[in-house]
Amino acid sequence: MQDQKPFDEPMAIIEEEACAMARCFGVAVPEVAAASLVDRILLRLGGAHVYLPRRTAQKRQRMHQEMANRFNGTNLFELAKEYDISARHLRRILARSRVERP
């Protein structure tokens, strides 16, 4: 089992993931490729505050659509708990999905 990197080491996580991807693509020396990528990221973004969303907009939209499709009028709290969001937030998602539907 791999050591878990703490969330305060994002560059270590990026380097680890880059190394794994390099291995997947058959790169001869994945560690060097990963270190090079990290160096380039630091060169271009070093010192900047970068926000990394948990989901892409498309994934979020699919999840919202799934919630709307599963909502039956009586399961608001169950869905909110399942998707780990508040009932209020789920109501807003459902309201937006009703407006977007033709």
Side-chain angles (χ1 to χ4, degrees), residues 3 26 31 69 100:
D3 292 327
E31 293 79 13
N69 291 342
E100 293 170 359

Side-chain angles (χ1 to χ4, degrees), residues 11 35-48:
M11 293 312 298
S36 177
L37 174 64
V38 168
D39 288 344
R40 291 181 56 83
I41 291 170
L42 290 173
L43 180 68
R44 295 188 71 188
L45 300 174

Side-chain angles (χ1 to χ4, degrees), residues 53 55-63:
R55 297 180 183 91
T56 64
Q58 289 176 335
K59 285 182 182 178
R60 185 173 37 255
Q61 184 60 35
R62 279 195 302 266
M63 186 175 68

Side-chain angles (χ1 to χ4, degrees), residues 11-12 14 18 29 34 37 49 51 54 57 61 74 76 88 91 93 101:
M11 293 312 298
I14 290 170
V29 188
L37 174 64
H49 293 266
Y51 172 73
R54 292 181 185 263
Q61 184 60 35
T74 62
L76 179 83
R88 182 178 181 184
R91 282 189 193 103
I93 292 168
R101 288 185 182 176

